Amino acid sequence: MDGGILEREIELAQLTAAAGEAVDGAGSVALVFGEAGIGKSSLVNALPGALSAQVRVLVGQCDDLATRRPLGPFRDLVGSVRDELARAVTEGGDRQRVYDALRAEFAGPAQPAVLVVEDVHWADEASLDALRFLVRRVDRMPMVLVLTYRDDELTREHPLRHLLGQVSRAARVHRVPLPRLSRDAVRTLSAAGRLDPAQVYAATSGNPFYVAEVVAAGATGDVPPTVVDAVLARLPGLDDTARDALEQLAVVPTAVERALADALLPYGVGQLTAAERRGLLVVTPERVVFRHEIIRRAIADSLPAARRIELNRKVLAVLVAQPGSDFSRIVHHAAEAGDQDAIARYGPDAARDAARTGAHREAAAQLRLVLRQRQRYGPAELAALLERFAVESYTIADSPAAVGAQREAVALRRSLGDLRELGADLRWLSRIHWWAGDADAAQEAAREAIDVLEKAGDERLLALALSNTSQLRMLSDRYAEAIGYGERAITLARRTGDAAILAHALNNVGTARWRDGDPLGRPQLEESLAVALEAGEAEHACRAYANLIWTLLENLRFAEADRFLAPAMEFADRTEHLGFLRYLQVELALRQFAAGAWSEAERSAESGDVDEFPPARCPALTVLARVRIRSGVPGGDELLVRAWEIAARTRELQRTGPVAAARAESAWLRGDHPAVIAAVGPLYAQARDLAATPYRAELGHWLAKSGHPVPADGSDHPYALQAAGQWRPAADAWRAAGCPYEYAAALAESPDPADKLTALAGLDELGAEPLARIVRTDLRALGVARIPRGPHAATRRNPAGLTGRQLEVGLLLAEGLTNAEIAGRLVLSVRTVDNHVRAVLEKLGARTRRDVVARAAQWGMEAGHEK
């Protein structure tokens, strides 16, 4: 019997209401979650009967394969969706084609849909990317995207966390947690089996599937001690033919299509009649599927290892013989059967299929399996496999694996004496080293790549290597060298007609010139953007956008940066360059931080911090740290330690400079002037040597404030003006740029109490408690009798004076969530939540988490409803 839908009326009503809103054009995401056996599938199965006939219900399933099927749940929709989407997901070679087909399938108002993707904790990377695509657009589609998953299986690093973080920011989200059954419900179900309901509840704790299994197995009145025993107790009485069939199908962790079932079962699906009657599986004209994954696992796990190997060999033989079989399924069963020859033969194809669909984690996993059999390949073939593995590892930000594989590939290419392939591999090795934060190794590989390719005579690859070196020199502020290498790359790229390399080289040269003060730099950088857009080179266009915005932000030209930010983010979103989208979100965080919108800056920066895009991590951590430092929230210095670990390895002033400045600011606010000098002194000398004006100005400013004068350099940067003692022109410049904190800080340097009072008002408005405290001390020293206390802006938003993020954390604390649960809900690291919790307790005057509930009521804080 199946009691999974019992006590699910409220949850079913939630989904039905969401579908009704979708019919009216208000699309949404619904998260249905709980432990294994809690009734997620039963709830989904009840949906069609609760909805109007005009709403389609489509269901795709993620499978527990060792390496997932690329786009597996979307392939399950074939036969229920239009041909355009069916062909896109089965052919799977063009990710944009899949996205366009998804938009065409679900965006039209004629036929609203509920799309259910079950068990997304097992989703492959390509499916997660497709779901991200839908989540970002679902509010504009007549659809409900229902995602079911086991929330108790999500580690902090689980890939699904990123998707759930994006869902939390969607316009309309319905959270549908499924609780266990009550004792009354268990009593109702137990009556059918004449079992003691208390005994059943004690054995199952109200898990619906477990209850159903125990009741089905317990006609004698004895409750099996485990659900596995309950499942296995239903097998006695089946004849050998039926048991053999069940065991054979149990080693297939997907729905078994009829063609495969017929090939595996010597007497056809008729062998399954008795098992179907006992509720172990469901047979349809199209497929055979176990009624629950727990049943399949219980049967499979009960088999001796030798029997499992034999059964997997049979599945493998059938899949290999069937035209069009999914390579990932072949490799899964080859691995389960221990067939190394099959892994070596089909693994590269499985990896290629996964990479074509954007399932790079799965591609890397397939190649990792293949490379265990490296002795089966010749040097050239092995080098190619290592190169592919390095690229896939690089793409998923597994830097150690990428570096190791690419180094091995380079060694093989050296032994083969192919200069062209060696040069190409060295260029890639340089890029991977830079990505991993190893600046010295990146420069060395880049130098050798040019030497080798100059001998090889391949102008296109040489242009790419020259542009790569130009980029490295630009990033390390060696502008003259960057321009020299880049101009050579531009010449060769134009000669070979390669728009991608041309856009890349123009970007490097333009950025270097612009940062070096050459007015010709910006037009070259904008030309890079135009070339990339015209050629359809989305990655290079995103990079051009990123460098344009970064340089404008460095030079305090915020209004101009605003003109690029929105179209850049829209472009990166539309073209699915999620890494660059995160980087642009961090640039948005920098813009918001400068404008004093600190809560918004935190939200934007956290997107970069949690994402696996290393170049965004360091500036994201720096923004998060500076918000805490300026607002007096604990944890900023700890974040800077992490940021410095990343920055120091890059040896790039654009990374080390901001971290050092933030460390200096933190030290100065607590009165530790020697720590200020220690933080910025060495980098200030580097900035002077490199003529890096923005960093030189800011680092020099902190040295000057700590009693270490710096020479005037003729710059009109407001930090340079402050370092020279010209606080009034600096304050005017900061105000003109739209930087309220810096304006107040400069004004606070005035000896005039009136200016200090103006500065204090601005700092109170921002909630900048540490600097406001210093200004109040200065005012008292000047003899000012009436110093306004001035409520913070955050205090006006909520009486407790919490920042926006602290308010979110406080409300979840009041709900009784643990720090780990809050981290999962808000998609933050547990360490970040720990810092927020400490700040909330301090501001609420609460000694324990229990006190937060009372303080929340006292301050009138009310938890908001789900969006």
Side-chain angles (χ1 to χ4, degrees), residues 614-702:
R617 196 170 299 135
C618 181
L621 289 168
T622 306
V623 170
L624 292 170
R626 297 194 89 160
V627 169
R628 286 156 179 72
I629 289 164
R630 291 187 176 182
S631 58
V633 174
D637 291 324
E638 290 81 356
L639 291 174
L640 289 178
V641 170
R642 293 168 55 197
W644 183 254
E645 290 171 354
I646 300 169
R649 294 193 69 211
T650 70
R651 302 198 180 190
E652 294 172 5
L653 198 58
Q654 67 170 337
R655 303 286 179 240
T656 57
V659 180
R663 283 178 147 182
E665 182 174 7
S666 178
W668 187 85
L669 286 171
R670 63 177 184 267
D672 189 349
H673 290 187
V676 174
I677 296 170
V680 301
L683 287 176
Y684 174 73
Q686 180 187 355
R688 289 196 67 190
D689 292 341
L690 295 172
T693 299
Y695 304 119
R696 182 179 70 241
E698 184 170 11
L699 297 171
H701 157 72
W702 288 112

Side-chain angles (χ1 to χ4, degrees), residues 695-743:
Y695 304 119
R696 182 179 70 241
E698 184 170 11
L699 297 171
H701 157 72
W702 288 112
L703 285 174
K705 283 186 76 69
S706 296
H708 192 287
V710 296
D713 59 7
S715 168
D716 62 354
H717 193 287
Y719 272 135
L721 296 174
Q722 283 180 259
Q726 301 179 47
W727 58 266
R728 176 71 71 184
D732 292 341
W734 285 123
R735 181 167 56 182
C739 302
Y741 181 89
E742 287 77 5
Y743 164 69

Side-chain angles (χ1 to χ4, degrees), residues 438-630:
D438 193 338
D440 291 343
Q443 296 281 6
E444 176 58 28
R447 181 200 59 74
E448 189 182 358
I450 292 174
D451 290 345
V452 169
L453 289 169
E454 282 178 333
K455 297 172 186 173
D458 189 312
E459 288 193 333
R460 179 188 165 278
L461 285 177
L462 177 59
L464 186 55
L466 288 164
S467 190
N468 173 68
T469 298
S470 175
Q471 180 183 17
L472 292 173
R473 298 295 197 269
M474 177 270 290
L475 290 169
S476 58
D477 299 290
R478 294 155 67 178
Y479 299 136
E481 295 176 41
I483 293 166
Y485 283 107
E487 290 287 11
R488 287 181 63 193
I490 289 170
T491 299
L492 291 175
R494 292 192 193 278
R495 185 184 301 166
T496 57
D498 194 304
I501 299 175
L502 177 60
H504 191 271
L506 284 167
N507 189 324
N508 301 326
V509 173
T511 304
R513 281 199 167 120
W514 191 3
R515 291 180 178 173
D516 201 32
D518 185 342
L520 295 177
R522 181 171 178 176
Q524 275 192 301
L525 185 48
E526 291 183 342
E527 182 186 358
S528 167
L529 176 60
V531 169
L533 289 172
E534 184 177 355
E537 294 286 347
E539 180 179 358
H540 294 297
C542 288
R543 181 169 167 260
Y545 270 128
N547 279 346
L548 270 167
I549 294 164
W550 186 278
T551 308
L552 288 168
L553 294 174
E554 277 186 340
N555 290 285
L556 312 182
R557 297 162 75 167
F558 299 113
E560 291 180 70
D562 290 341
R563 296 208 312 267
F564 287 101
L565 269 166
M569 295 178 72
E570 188 279 330
F571 179 82
D573 185 9
R574 176 163 45 85
T575 58
E576 294 298 307
H577 277 275
L578 301 182
F580 273 111
L581 179 60
R582 296 295 179 261
Y583 197 83
L584 291 164
Q585 286 174 321
V586 173
E587 291 187 323
L588 175 62
L590 290 165
R591 169 68 181 106
Q592 293 164 330
F593 177 72
W598 292 345
S599 294
E600 291 84 348
E602 280 190 303
R603 284 192 288 272
S604 299
E606 281 160 354
S607 298
D609 185 27
V610 301
D611 191 77
E612 294 178 354
F613 189 65
R617 196 170 299 135
C618 181
L621 289 168
T622 306
V623 170
L624 292 170
R626 297 194 89 160
V627 169
R628 286 156 179 72
I629 289 164
R630 291 187 176 182

